[in-house]
Amino acid sequence: MFTRHHTHKFSAILVSLLLTTSIALLALSATPLPVADANAVADSNAAGTQIGVVLPIQAVRWVQDGIQISNTLSASGYTYQILFSQDITTTEKTNVETLIAQGIKALIICPVDSTAAAAAVEEARTAGVKVIAYDQLILNTAAVDYYITFDSISVGRAQGQYLVDKATGTGNPLYLYAGHPGDNNAFIFFEGAWNKLQPKIADDTFMIKNSSEAVALKNHATLTHDEEASIIGQIATNWDPNTARDLTQANLAAVTAADKGNVFILAPNDGTARAIGDVFAADPDVHSYVITGQDAEQASVQYIIDGKQTMTVFKDIRTLARDAAATAITYLQGGTPSSTTTYNNGTINVPSKPSAVVTVDKNNVKSALIDSGYYQLSDFTWPVISSVITSTGGGLTSTFDSTTYLFPSGAFTDTVLITHTVIFSSTSSSSLEGIGHSFDITGVYSGTGQAAQPTEPYTITVQYTDEQKGAVNESTFAFYYWDGSQWVKEPTSTVNVDSNTVTATPSHFSAWIVMGEIRRVYLPIIKR
Ligand code: BGC
């Protein structure tokens, strides 16, 4: 019996919250019947179930998938049941058999183990059930009709590219980590990352510190499955944060201070990234680290906001769940779902239409994850940065939103505590648009506790990214302050399009936002 451990210690509370939510949702949206199996969380009508869903375990990632699939299926009016396999392949097989006995016509299944699941889906096929592999492909069997997936090679490539983009010079220490060797995705993610990292390992931009197998293969642009397995064998986290933490501690204990410094870390997903990152953060010989992730889990988004994780790869589970439900319904209606590509599972080419993934870091966390409705602003604690400025002046930098303040000598008559708070404000104007920089600056005299305003102009500089420019006319970027009823343009504002900076020298504190004029398209007048 094979088990794949997912001990998400950071997420235990969230999991139970999500489960409560999912049960509540189902109670509202479907006809709840007594739960037939201890692992079931959803049961729209057990006798005569049309669609069966089998997910590996109630970890954050899979509970979210379950909720999304259940939302789509409830709305469709088809009967369905979702079962979790407790990460145990034999439980998974029992779950599939239970659903077959209930008469399902389509099975959406994310396997515990990509190979072991073949036997279960073969039973389903024999019973005339259409099999939809969900997120992880089922290997070495002809009994898979469709594969619902994200573009997993792109996940690994996005992680690898991110590290490459952040590295300068040579000899940068690189620590590699992978998922579970029993999960086919772990190989695809690593392959994608290797595609991007290998040229930069071969030219010594990176020096691998924790895998002798990877070092031995550094000149191999593409790896065979066996070569990849030999590396993954040394760096597997089994998708388990505890395993990831122990392995990282062992890795750091085995190297010298010279192998640390400013490090680069390929972490395969968010759960392991937080565990690995925490170990690096605690090592006094590590000065800085860039670390990847995957899944845009809420806890990791907070880590990104707090500067403890550098990036994640966002896989919008809503899309995957919707596609899976739609595919099952197409089969139930006797149709054939459309596909854009196929994945070879060792026996057949399985049709698929992979969904795109998005790289998320602190620069686009709000636009990618909050503006898209995936999370709420209130799900996170946003940065508040403070500094004590004396009458001789000083500065304050908020790295999260790349904002810098400089206060000249004499800006304050006495010592002041300055606080910069990231806010998210709407622009309420049809011709102006914010570019993702809005904040509040306040001051309090340390001695009296009275509110402070500067008596001399100070300098605020915001650095924006190319991505943040959007469709707004860059040369019109300027600071606007809130005067109590509207945003007013700050007259001292200037923009430098070469250095991507907006600077102003105001002499008052307020809420600020950087906005630009929305580009207008003028169509030519055609004379007849
Ligand atoms: C999924 C990832 C997930 C990992 C651990 C992979 O197969 O694609 O999104 O982080 O399993 O559960």
Side-chain angles (χ1 to χ4, degrees), residues 130-149:
K130 290 288 183 189
V131 174
I132 301 160
Y134 183 81
D135 197 81
Q136 290 160 32
L137 189 53
I138 298 161
L139 300 179
N140 306 330
T141 174
V144 187
D145 293 285
Y146 199 90
Y147 180 29
I148 294 285
T149 184

Side-chain angles (χ1 to χ4, degrees), residues 281-339:
D283 190 315
D285 295 324
V286 173
H287 306 316
S288 74
Y289 57 92
V290 177
I291 185 166
T292 61
Q294 166 178 201
D295 294 332
E297 284 184 9
Q298 186 173 344
S300 275
V301 175
Q302 188 66 58
Y303 260 48
I304 291 175
I305 294 166
D306 296 343
K308 298 198 293 190
Q309 185 176 322
T310 326
M311 67 87 85
T312 187
V313 181
F314 173 41
K315 310 199 297 191
D316 193 335
I317 290 164
R318 295 171 301 185
T319 314
L320 208 65
R322 225 178 10 242
D323 287 356
T327 305
I329 292 167
T330 303
Y331 281 131
L332 257 77
Q333 294 172 343
T336 307
S338 66
S339 59

